[in-house]
Amino acid sequence: MAIVTPEGYQALDEASVPAHLAALPAIRARLGGRPEVWRVREVGDGNLNLVFLVDGPEGSVCLKQALPYVRLVGESWPLGLERARFEWEALVIEHRLAPGRVPEPLHFDPKLYAIVMERLAPHIIMRRGTIAATVYPRFAEQIAEFLARTLYFTSDLGINAAERKKFLERFSANVELCKITEDLIFTDPYMEHERNRWTSPQLDVAARAIREDLPLKQAVALLKLKFLCEPQALIHGDLHTGSIMVTAEDTRVIDPEFAFLGPIGFDVGKLLGNLLLACASQPGHEIRPGERADYQAWLLATVEEVWNGFERRFLDLWRTRPEGDAFPIAHFVGPDGARALETCRRQYLRRIFVDSLGFAGTSMVRRTLGLAHNADMETIADPDRRAACERRNLALARELILEAERFADIAAVADRARIVLRG
Ligand code: SR1
Ligand code: MG
């Protein structure tokens, strides 16, 4: 059945983009020259949308347009266009809270469900960089800043309840994209489902073991429940290394279309899980045995720095900007009160840490056994070598989900990963 779209919507192509942008005076001025000379390339390699890069004589922009279906699957999986509006609104909020850490939002077209934003150059998608074993010296510090500021200032610690409830009301409507996460991350990989795929036959036994692992399914069900009903902060909702663009000096977060009020640990954990999966994939990219060991060490050091940097900055904000309604200051006066409040802060961050490890594990499982895989593993051509990496990734993921509470700190996670993930 053909997909029906709202009046005024049409999927753009390289030929139709210039006329659309030429009608926007600020964008036209930014690009400069005449529309006929603008160079347009469709470069979208994500699972859902069209992405056009447009270069003019004076400057460039990026245009991202929602398609009315899941691009990865095709028209058999229709998907609402409203996600573009959630993405726009989340991008504007992130830009305010973490300036310089996202592309500048320039324009939203409500009929075409298209966002025009700063074109990032010479940035590349971080996942391509980790596949090529590129070190990003500023990444950990900058992403930790993004996480701490966007999550703190949309939580009950950093803003008052009325303001936070406005976020809650608005982003609770992002139902369709939440449902994708609920299904693809927390449900499908743990049962037989036509959407699932894995390196077969090499991982057939491992996939069945996961489907039959009741303690694991209990733990994942609790994480799913947390995702469903713990609106701690406005989370990005899809913070993997394909949603981050990097250079040696600069880190930018893109694609917040999955944004909603959810558990803080989901953003932190998805990122940590993707870095751990990247680490697990490294032996599969080696031409000479052991040549990626140093890069694995960098990835694990980065895992530690991301968590430690996030925790430090989040606590700093809580100590210096207690502008939310939770933990009333009047309840914690004097030295004893200050100590008691500090204990609350430590307990809160410990909870987020444990949640993050669980969510990291679920992200690692879904990219191995579910519908949408990562290029980190998919670009390992030899299925036996790929499966060896994926098996180690699954082993660590299972420990993170089942034994999250047992890890004293992030250094203990990195120590364990050093043992489990090395080829
Ligand atoms: C059908 S969409 C598959 C995945 O792509 C996005 O990046 C999200 O992670 C989603 O789960
Ligand atoms: Mg995306």
Side-chain angles (χ1 to χ4, degrees), residues 190 208-221 398 402:
Y190 305 91
R208 188 178 330 112
I210 295 265
R211 290 197 301 271
E212 292 174 356
D213 191 333
L214 267 176
L216 186 69
K217 288 193 283 189
Q218 285 174 309
V220 171
R398 187 174 179 280
L402 277 174

Side-chain angles (χ1 to χ4, degrees), residues 124-174:
I124 62 163
I125 293 287
M126 186 177 183
R127 183 169 293 136
R128 291 204 205 133
T130 57
I131 291 169
T134 308
V135 164
Y136 295 102
R138 308 287 312 275
F139 167 72
E141 156 212 344
Q142 294 179 345
I143 202 73
E145 179 82 10
F146 171 85
L147 285 165
R149 292 188 62 83
T150 56
L151 296 170
Y152 181 80
F153 285 118
T154 57
S155 77
D156 280 306
L157 308 168
I159 51 171
N160 67 53
E163 247 185 287
R164 202 190 69 87
K165 284 187 169 70
K166 277 191 217 148
F167 287 143
L168 184 59
E169 189 188 357
R170 174 65 190 126
F171 285 92
S172 291
N174 201 4

Side-chain angles (χ1 to χ4, degrees), residues 59-91:
S60 314
V61 296
C62 170
L63 184 152
K64 178 174 176 184
Q65 185 184 33
L67 284 167
Y69 54 85
V70 174
R71 185 176 183 168
L72 172 72
V73 175
E75 297 198 11
S76 62
W77 187 345
L79 191 63
L81 297 164
E82 276 300 310
R83 66 185 192 274
R85 200 188 305 269
F86 290 113
E87 173 163 352
W88 169 257
E89 291 176 21
L91 181 64

Side-chain angles (χ1 to χ4, degrees), residues 272 276 300-301 303-305 307-308 311 350 353 357 406-419:
L272 297 180
L276 290 168
L300 295 182
V303 163
E304 290 191 53
E305 284 169 34
W307 170 263
N308 289 331
E311 182 183 50
R350 172 69 194 170
F353 175 70
L357 298 190
R406 300 239 300 260
F407 288 96
D409 52 28
I410 195 69
V413 175
D415 285 346
R416 189 65 194 138
R418 236 163 252 128
I419 293 165

Side-chain angles (χ1 to χ4, degrees), residues 47-48 70 72 77 180-181 184-185 238 240 258 270 366-367 371-372:
N47 295 326
L48 300 178
V70 174
L72 172 72
W77 187 345
I180 289 179
T181 302
L184 296 194
I185 297 189
D238 197 26
H240 52 73
F258 284 76
K270 198 176 232 215
R366 67 78 63 107
R367 297 290 185 190
L371 168 75

